[in-house]
Amino acid sequence: MRTNRKTEEKKMSMSKNIARLAVTAGLTAALSFGGVMAPVTMAFADGTPVATEKGNVAIEEDIYTNTTFKGIQIFKATVAQDKKDNAFNGPKTLSDIAWASPDAEKAVKGVFGDAVDKPADNATAQDWADYITKKAGDNVGEGVKVDAGSTLDKIAKALEEMTTTNEEAGWKTSTDGKFNNLAAGYWLFLTAQAGSTNDANKTNGNEDAFTSPIFTIVGGSDVNVTPKKDVPNVTKAVKDDKDGKFVTDDSKNVFTAANKAADSAAEQLVEYQLAGTVASNINTYVKYSYTFTDNLPSTMVPELQDANPVVKVKIGETDVNSNCYEATYDASKNTLTVCFENLKDAKDGNDNPIAVDGNSKVYVNYRAKLVAGKITQDMLGKAQKNFVKLTYSNNPHDNNGTGTTVDHPAYDYTYGIDVTKVGSDKDEADKYKTLEGVQFTLQEKDSSEFIKADGTTTSTENEAILTTNNEGKINVVGLDEGTYILKEVKPAPGYNNSAANGVTFTIKRNLNQDDADVILSTDSVIQAADGVVKDNSATASIGKLSFTIVDQKGSNLPLTGLNGVTF
């Protein structure tokens, strides 16, 4: 009878101990990536509990393989877990909890220095584990990214600022994310140094972001975890005036089907859109800096007002108050910048806070133009490349830590014509004689504006006269896709005006979503009266349409009053 009583007392004591262990186990499991632990019971029907003193952790980072991680042990403990058929399964429990090191103890206790409800000075590590569980609250478990300023965030920051790197004190680093034979207990894992990648099929040089704190139990079954972070992405789209869209596929958005190429006339304002995502763990940051830097080609300038770029900024569908960001233009570098000192402080036009989370998208729209005086024959059909990059906070515990994406491009093109004027007669080399001084006007179909040689327009005809040079040529640059009418207004002396009714031609292009040269379509149509355009003279080349216009030589009439009659 006495033996039975002792056995029952022993069982009751063990039940109380396990119940207490369950509190700590609940803490560690809840804070880990593995999810919330089921209640611990005395039933080990699925296996036999086995105590372990070592464990393995693997942080699975497939993209940024040169990112370095560090592990910091908070509590030492013996970790028990069911084992069946040589495999660990089921929940883990901790016993014999002790501080991993004096440094870890000092760092954690320092977080609660002013707390009135903190454990007494003589409290055990177990007491502190219970207290941390209570303070952590319910915002724990699988997939949770700890909030900035929360208890767990403060603990992680305090431990990260520890000066020791002594492995015996529970500090480990890994360049491949693999930690083997770690002392069993309660650990924190963080990013030590962010890497980057040059894999063109992935992020192509983007810098990695720091993970949110990962708390977990080491011991028993191996721990495999994916870092809790996202690297922001940026893209750039240009609105094609042919269809007025930023996307190549209406069923997609600019992040998956951005329109990269458009064309424009000289001085025409072209609309661009910069679009960026934010880190999925932005809640981990107290301050989240966010800057678009857009590099324009030397041939383009943005629309300006009082030397500042004209921009429209949105977060999702909400317009952002201009007081929340700074938009600047550096003429020496031809760079447009839109900078948020803290994206989390963004407000709308009525000064109401805008909620920013891991699903938020930030958009910057602005317009830029090809400067007429900078357009040359050599750049016709060549991509004028704009590049944007995004600089963003990448370390929740360092306000100055930033990462940068690679440049993302968009392209603008412009075109021109090369027209040769000849007479119907031939020179001594049996070639058509080129005619100098012939005057033309050029207009886009259904437009009252006249186009100058540099592609700019005017409503005054005399300001836009195109005159053939000593080679019989006129060249016009800075033309967009479209249909145009070229009219001869003054022929060369001794020649008839064959193109007085105009030559109508169409510039058609074949745009690609890359920076390839644009060869104008051979389907470009040239219409004129018979004999006006020389047969087989029309050619479509890189960015240019060429053709030859023929004027018939004038004829004489019979005269009297002279010696003889002349025809």
Side-chain angles (χ1 to χ4, degrees), residues 374-401:
K374 296 182 178 181
I375 302 174
T376 66
Q377 290 283 331
D378 293 337
M379 61 171 275
L380 298 178
K382 305 284 186 180
Q384 303 305 295
K385 304 175 187 178
N386 291 21
F387 292 95
V388 66
K389 65 181 178 181
L390 183 65
T391 304
Y392 49 88
S393 291
N394 74 338
N395 187 345
H397 295 150
D398 182 359
N399 288 336
N400 296 318

Side-chain angles (χ1 to χ4, degrees), residues 124-183:
T124 65
Q126 174 73 64
D127 294 328
W128 275 95
D130 296 341
Y131 180 68
I132 293 170
T133 302
K134 173 184 174 183
K135 288 295 185 180
D138 297 328
N139 190 26
V140 293
E142 185 176 1
V144 168
K145 301 173 180 68
V146 296
D147 291 331
S150 65
T151 294
L152 298 182
D153 182 56
K154 290 177 180 178
I155 291 174
K157 187 173 183 179
L159 290 167
E160 191 172 20
E161 292 174 351
M162 286 168 41
T163 57
T164 181
T165 57
N166 186 352
E167 290 195 7
E168 296 301 322
W171 179 286
K172 297 281 188 179
T173 59
S174 172
T175 56
D176 61 2
K178 293 181 174 58
F179 297 84
N180 297 320
N181 295 316
L182 296 180

Side-chain angles (χ1 to χ4, degrees), residues 443 445 483-487 501-506 524-529 533 545 547:
Q443 293 176 284
K445 188 178 181 181
T483 299
Y484 298 85
I485 300 173
L486 181 68
K487 290 184 179 180
N501 293 325
V503 175
T504 301
F505 62 90
T506 301
S524 297
V525 177
I526 299 178
Q527 296 176 325
V533 176
L545 184 64
F547 54 91

Side-chain angles (χ1 to χ4, degrees), residues 33-87:
F33 50 82
V36 179
M37 176 173 280
V40 179
T41 68
M42 285 294 293
F44 297 108
D46 292 334
T48 303
V50 175
T52 59
E53 297 181 353
K54 298 288 183 180
N56 302 321
V57 174
I59 300 176
E60 301 172 349
E61 176 56 79
D62 296 330
I63 298 177
Y64 299 94
T65 53
N66 56 350
T67 290
T68 302
F69 296 95
K70 59 188 174 186
I72 303 171
Q73 189 177 26
I74 304 172
F75 293 117
K76 295 178 181 178
T78 299
V79 176
Q81 188 176 20
D82 291 5
K83 193 171 187 179
K84 183 180 181 182
D85 299 329
N86 293 321

